Amino acid sequence: MGTAYKLDEPIIAHLRQKKLYIVLLGGPGSGKGTQGQKLAEELQIAHVASGDLLREHLAQETPIGRAAQTYISCGELVPDGVVIAMIRERLERADTAKGVILDGFPRTVPQAKALDEILAAQARKLTLVADLKVSPETLLARLGGRWTCRECGAVYHVLYQPPRERGKCDICGGELYQRPDDRPEVQKRRIAVYFAQTLPVIAYYKERGLLVEIDGERDIAAVHTQLLAALEAA
Ligand code: AP5
């Protein structure tokens, strides 16, 4: 999505030579998907978003999709066993050999421990865990205005990142829709679940010296630049 700023180009060229295993943490609407898509495209590595994978399973009515449906629709976390098995299978695919941006996983300490085991078994290790820090008020404003492409998953916002043509994806021309779990009552539950269940994951990575805090309140380009700088320093 978009082109890199001139100043970012040398950093991107340098980072492309590395194997990067990156976790993006942050509340619902903090910008994990927006930043994850952009970074994966620039760094030419896989973008593995647990929410997107679960929504694909839902659409295809697979056993994983059926197991996840009720949890997603009311804003609760899908059980660890289901999500860990799904991510393990995804990380075994060939396109993850050069690196991965994990977006939305891990979300609990058992998931973080499982990720350590999966990566260790593949002789890989995490490069960086970036925590996109955003206030609950900003999260609500972002979720309320989000539109997503049904075809390619690109993310827009009515105010902060509008598509060129209303209702239509700039990239593939697909139809834009609002996620059913962005209903106001579910948004609030997702934010509460994040603060209750995912904050311990931040402490887990802080203890291991992998955590970098990113000011996620800034605009999309400024957040991106902070992420590139953190990766360059990692
Ligand atoms: P998931 O799809 O992962 O949802 P989420 O974590 O709630 O995150 P979002 O996708 O809502 O937001 P985002 O941070 O990607 O923000 P975005 O870039 O879109 O999970 C959905 C559900 O699946 C969960 O509730 C759970 O049930 C289940 N699930 C998923 N993973 C699981 C796991 N590991 N374990 C258990 N259950 C799991 O941005 C939001 C909006 O803001 C957009 O409109 C965007 O244009 C705009 N925006 C982004 N950045 C900025 C900025 N800097 N300034 C202004 N606007 C911005």
Side-chain angles (χ1 to χ4, degrees), residues 1 34 145-148 154-171 176 220:
M1 298 189 59
T34 302
R146 171 168 60 190
W147 289 80
T148 305
V155 175
Y156 298 88
H157 191 282
V158 280
L159 297 177
Y160 312 132
Q161 197 184 19
R164 284 193 292 272
E165 194 179 324
R166 197 188 152 116
K168 198 168 166 186
C169 178
D170 292 353
I171 300 167
L176 303 185
I220 292 171

Side-chain angles (χ1 to χ4, degrees), residues 12-205:
I12 291 167
H14 181 234
L15 289 173
R16 275 186 191 165
Q17 293 163 25
K18 298 186 178 180
K19 283 193 178 182
L20 298 167
Y21 292 92
I22 304 160
V23 167
L24 294 182
L25 292 178
S30 57
K32 302 181 297 297
T34 302
Q35 298 296 334
Q37 282 175 0
K38 187 169 166 62
L39 273 179
E41 187 184 308
E42 284 174 353
L43 303 177
Q44 300 170 341
I45 59 179
H47 175 216
V48 173
S50 49
D52 291 349
L53 290 174
L54 287 167
R55 282 184 287 279
E56 280 168 30
H57 279 283
L58 266 179
Q60 291 163 14
E61 299 181 10
T62 67
I64 289 180
R66 282 194 287 276
Q69 186 162 25
T70 323
Y71 298 96
I72 295 177
S73 64
C74 57
E76 301 296 332
L77 292 187
V78 175
D80 285 339
V82 175
V83 181
I84 290 167
M86 179 183 78
I87 294 292
R88 186 188 301 278
E89 185 277 324
R90 181 65 186 86
L91 291 179
E92 281 164 2
R93 293 196 214 159
D95 69 333
T96 64
K98 197 176 161 280
V100 176
I101 296 176
L102 281 159
D103 154 4
F105 181 92
R107 259 179 159 90
T108 64
V109 172
Q111 290 182 20
K113 290 183 176 166
L115 178 62
D116 287 345
E117 286 167 23
I118 295 168
L119 293 178
Q122 298 173 323
R124 298 170 173 174
K125 61 179 176 59
L126 283 178
T127 314
L128 181 83
V129 177
D131 175 25
L132 305 183
K133 294 188 87 66
V134 175
S135 68
E137 296 72 30
T138 303
L139 294 178
L140 284 171
R142 289 191 187 166
L143 292 174
R146 171 168 60 190
W147 289 80
T148 305
C149 175
R150 232 180 249 290
E151 304 301 322
C152 73
V155 175
Y156 298 88
H157 191 282
V158 280
L159 297 177
Y160 312 132
Q161 197 184 19
R164 284 193 292 272
E165 194 179 324
R166 197 188 152 116
K168 198 168 166 186
C169 178
D170 292 353
I171 300 167
C172 72
E175 182 201 359
L176 303 185
Y177 81 108
Q178 285 194 293
R179 277 172 38 182
D181 64 340
D182 278 349
R183 296 192 310 277
E185 65 279 15
V186 185
Q187 284 174 11
K188 288 192 186 120
R189 182 63 198 149
R190 285 163 56 208
I191 292 171
V193 165
Y194 171 77
F195 284 107
Q197 299 194 43
T198 305
L199 284 192
V201 178
I202 294 175
Y204 179 87
Y205 287 124

